[in-house]
Amino acid sequence: MRMGNIHYGKNKKKSSQQSSRSKNNTSVPKPVLQSTPQQEEAAAKHVGGEISANLIAAIFMPQITEIVERQAEIYAQEILHQQQQLIQMQMEQEGQQNEVKEDADEKEEEEEGGEVITERQEDHSHEEEDEEEGDQGGSHDYAANRKNAFESTTHLASLDQLNLPPFLYATSESREEINTILQDVSNHFTSLEKKSTAPWKIHANAAKFERQLDEKYGILRPFITQHPEIEIFLRGVQRKYSRGEFSPFRQGNAPVDKKTSIIILFIMYRNGVKLEKLILAATFFLVGLQPWALVLLVIFGRQLMEGRRKKKVGGWLGREVKTVKAYYADAESEKAKHDILRKSVGNPISEDDFAEEKEGGYDTMVVGSGVDTLYTAALLARTGRTVLVLSPENDASGCYNIAESNGMSDAIQTIYGNVPFDVHGNHVAHVERQQRLLAPALCTDTDAQGGIRFCRIGTEGDGFTSDILSIPGMGVDSRKDTHPFLLRAGGVSNIAVDAATYLGDGWPEDDGVGHSTSAGYLAAVAGINATASEFYMSKLLNESVSGMKKNSSYQEASVRYASAFLDQLLPLNPHVRSLMAGIGMKGENLPPSKTSMAVHVTNTCAQISPEGFSYPVGGPRAISHALASVVEQNGGKVITEVKIKEFLYHEKDDLHNNQKEEAKSNKTDGRVDHSKPRCHGVKLLDGRLISVGKNDESYVVSMLGFIPTFIFYMPDEIRTKYGVPSGLHALTERRPLLHFIVALDGTAEELNLTAADWYRLPNASLALDEMDPITGQVTQGLIGAQVIDFDEHDDSTASGSEVQPEDETEAIAKRDKRAKSGTVPTRKKTKRNKFTTGQSWMKVSFPSAKDPSWKERHGKISTCVVTIEADDNFVQLFDSSPKIFSATKFTQEACAHVVEGVKKDLIDNYPQLQDKIDFISMVGPVRKGLSHTPLRYAVKGIRPETPYPGLIVGGSDLTVGDSFSGAIVAGWMAANAVIKYSAIDHLYLDKNITNDLKLFLSSPRSKVNGDDIAVPFKMTDSEKDSPQAAESSKEE
């Protein structure tokens, strides 16, 4: 029973009953609680949540007791009144029943068995009287009178029909109960002892705890209350948490002080510990993060990174990677496959193409030629982009076509029409690595490599020789003589053995370097090259992020000259020094004293590839057709013979005149401190405009190199106002090249042609070392002194001192010594660079001898490409910023003179070609990018992302020139720059465009009839015996 339910004056049910009693002329007084002065005084006092014991026991309890007794008296009066009414009703019913009984008796006499029925009724009447007697129990006089009144009848009125009002305290038990309740309430709010807690507080705290349990555990509360051990555990955890035991930060003193922590972190940094581990160590030592918190942080970070690794980044425009068919899928025979390769890659531009400038058809434009250009376009096309490839050449593969040369007879045109001449020398080192890069772009529905295969250069008989070096003075007694040195496959061991055999180097051991200085040098170079990927990856990162990383050994070597390493690691044998200089710098006529160690390391490590070099079966056209097919099947297009005038830039309209003046005043080093205009397309020589749009998702990728992009194809007003990338003005363009394409009558077997490239390298000519006869100290000479410009006269003779006659050897030695000491006088007259037969830098290549499928496709003809540097009759160096070469108007006499000199050199080195040359034609001058000086690798502006929004630069300027691997990596870097991967993606998730394509590409289905090969070919007996004759790895 709760006291809150006792409301006498407001109960609607009771008021209705009292109104019914008033109708019966019966008045019942209302019980009302009236407040006394003591109650009002007690109620006015502030008890602060407590109820006084005196207030209950002394005031409320007597008043409630009086009300209870009054209710008992009123109840007794009601009983008496109802008893009188009941007796009166019974008397009236008895009179009626007697009349009915007399009539019934008369009828019973007439019927048989009437007495039996009367007896049964009497028995039944007695049973009902017994039951009523047991229920009442004689507890009240009125109950006894009611029993006597009902004995004579079986139809009595119930108490409910008498309209008796209910009373709460009608019995003594109910009065005792209310007294007990009041006493309990008094005890509940009363503290018997001063120091003990009042029971009401205990109950209040219990109620509070119950409410807190509901708030904390919610629907889990029933489970926790049924398992008290869980609640105990949770309370213990809460107590520990309140004491700070579960804080992620360390409580108390650190295990080591801050100074010691900084020293430990510095030692870790100096020992090359990765950045993420340094950060974790710093959070433990300096921030004070607890070990368990570090573990949770690592787990949480790995979960986030794993989730990002499986998602496409913002630069992806397609939801899925489209599966493409092979470009030769419709070819029904081997002949049909060969016929495809007789065609140039791409479609020539027509007059109707791009007649009007339209935006929205393409979102990416790639400008350039060659395998690297199409590789970049194919990667971007795989990501859902619509790519437009614009090639300045008539063949997007980069091959030259002799059919378009002038002065060719009809017979020659018929035989050599559409025959490709590979002028770029697509030698592939570490072929399995290149296949991993190429596979995401080449993959078709039937082959992971798009049907492309690679064949090893050379034969088993020549040890799979890939290059033949002719270095003046190396391996011979005179510096004017030369002796060819063959670079065979087999890695470091074969080069070291050949160096010991022909150059007097020490012999290597089977399990190590031994006494071989060349083997030791190659091992050191390989160690430097192990960090090359970190250096080139840093070009994709933000400058602030890349600046936080420690410089790799490759990056440190890239800003130093190769001569410093050669002299230090190979001090005794000048012949070995010249050999290593020639291996490291074959593609440019640049001596080690001017060459960056980066290009030297890259070329050397490519040469020591154990399997040697490989060449694509079908030549670069086969790869280019496969890549172009991927672009076209993804909605793109490859257009050739595009003559570009300049790139298009969109300047913002809100740049006012005052802002322009402010920009001019803030110009420093060719750069302007305000936003650059966005590149969005190209303008052709005939005035047509090709645009990919001015939105943030549209890009123009220039594979032409930095000099053409920012010097020749950038509008003068844009370059003057906004400048060029940082550091470009300090660089130098390498000397352009002249290519001579030579048509030969006969197959490679008939002409005894080698698949190896032949180089003459005056830049690696033998250094003339001198030994002091007294001290025995060796003074090292200068490698490649023949290609360094000197004064025509020595200023030392101007002092009037006597000049002693000296022989040629002494003169060369003194010149080398002055050059190495840096005391070479400033030249007043520069010697003209002129091609000299038998001396100048030259490269001879036979592409048809490298391709095993050539004969099935082109019959009994062969191709030869001779490359030299353009001399001053064809180009002129301008002392500008940057230093660039400009083509001059050369005469027919100068051209004929060079052609005759090249032909003579070719016949001298390959006498079997006498009378076998059907045609020779010169192509060029051809620009080849930046010179490989240390400054090229030191400037920060040589990176794919340029200061101009929407413009990305690729090409070998980013890596190493004259290298298939370098060009592919540069194209890969450009594609990643378009997709906009973050530093976390590259450094910690190993997430890039090729890895993502491998993740999202569908696996090709296997072909029923064996490998799906793009270019069928027949192997010779020696090639069949070699397990690596044709690289058909399907690792991807």
Side-chain angles (χ1 to χ4, degrees), residues 367-571:
V367 182
S369 301
V371 176
D372 57 337
T373 298
L374 294 171
Y375 172 71
T376 305
L379 287 179
L380 295 175
R382 290 282 196 182
T383 65
R385 291 182 168 271
T386 307
V387 184
L388 174 64
V389 180
L390 301 180
S391 173
E393 311 296 338
N394 60 1
D395 190 346
S397 66
C399 296
Y400 286 98
N401 195 334
I402 199 172
E404 298 186 1
S405 300
N406 296 325
M408 199 164 48
S409 64
D410 294 339
I412 297 297
Q413 290 180 357
T414 302
I415 298 174
Y416 295 97
N418 294 324
V419 174
F421 287 78
D422 181 11
V423 299
H424 298 292
N426 292 278
H427 284 198
V428 183
H430 303 284
V431 65
E432 290 186 0
R433 299 181 188 175
Q434 304 310 313
Q435 284 180 318
R436 287 194 290 268
L437 278 178
L438 291 170
L442 292 172
C443 182
T444 63
D445 58 350
T446 57
D447 190 78
Q449 295 291 334
I452 302 301
R453 299 294 182 264
F454 293 85
C455 179
R456 294 181 69 181
I457 294 177
T459 62
E460 188 177 6
D462 59 17
F464 298 101
T465 300
S466 59
D467 297 289
I468 303 173
L469 305 184
S470 179
I471 300 176
M474 187 188 73
V476 294
D477 297 332
S478 174
R479 294 183 65 176
K480 294 182 179 180
D481 298 333
T482 59
H483 187 278
F485 189 93
L486 277 63
L487 296 178
R488 300 181 297 149
V492 175
S493 60
N494 279 358
I495 295 178
V497 168
D498 292 343
T501 304
Y502 302 108
L503 303 180
D505 192 21
W507 288 91
E509 296 180 356
D510 295 337
D511 56 349
V513 174
H515 300 285
S516 173
T517 57
S518 58
Y521 176 80
L522 295 175
V525 169
I528 297 174
N529 189 68
T531 61
S533 59
E534 298 180 13
F535 171 70
Y536 293 115
M537 185 68 71
S538 66
K539 293 180 178 294
L540 294 173
L541 307 178
N542 188 280
E543 292 185 6
S544 59
V545 177
S546 59
M548 296 174 59
K549 292 179 60 64
K550 181 182 177 181
N551 292 341
S552 62
S553 57
Y554 186 91
Q555 184 173 359
E556 295 288 347
S558 67
V559 296
R560 299 179 62 184
Y561 291 107
S563 58
F565 289 83
L566 292 169
D567 293 342
Q568 184 176 1
L569 299 178
L570 303 170

Side-chain angles (χ1 to χ4, degrees), residues 274-315:
K274 292 185 177 180
L275 181 61
E276 59 271 21
K277 295 181 180 178
L278 281 176
I279 294 175
L280 290 176
T283 55
F284 176 74
F285 287 115
L286 301 179
V287 180
L289 209 61
Q290 296 207 32
W292 64 266
L294 286 175
V295 174
L296 292 179
L297 182 63
V298 171
I299 295 174
F300 180 70
R302 285 187 176 275
Q303 291 294 330
L304 289 179
M305 291 183 177
E306 188 65 24
R308 181 174 175 82
R309 182 183 288 111
K310 297 180 180 180
K311 293 182 179 180
K312 299 175 183 177
V313 299

Side-chain angles (χ1 to χ4, degrees), residues 51 183-191 198-204:
I51 300 179
Q183 188 65 38
D184 291 341
V185 172
S186 176
N187 294 335
H188 178 75
F189 293 101
T190 305
S191 176
W200 73 271
K201 289 186 177 181
I202 297 174
H203 288 285

Side-chain angles (χ1 to χ4, degrees), residues 79 147 210 844 850-851:
I79 291 294
K147 177 181 179 182
E210 293 289 333
V844 179
K850 304 173 186 179
D851 184 4

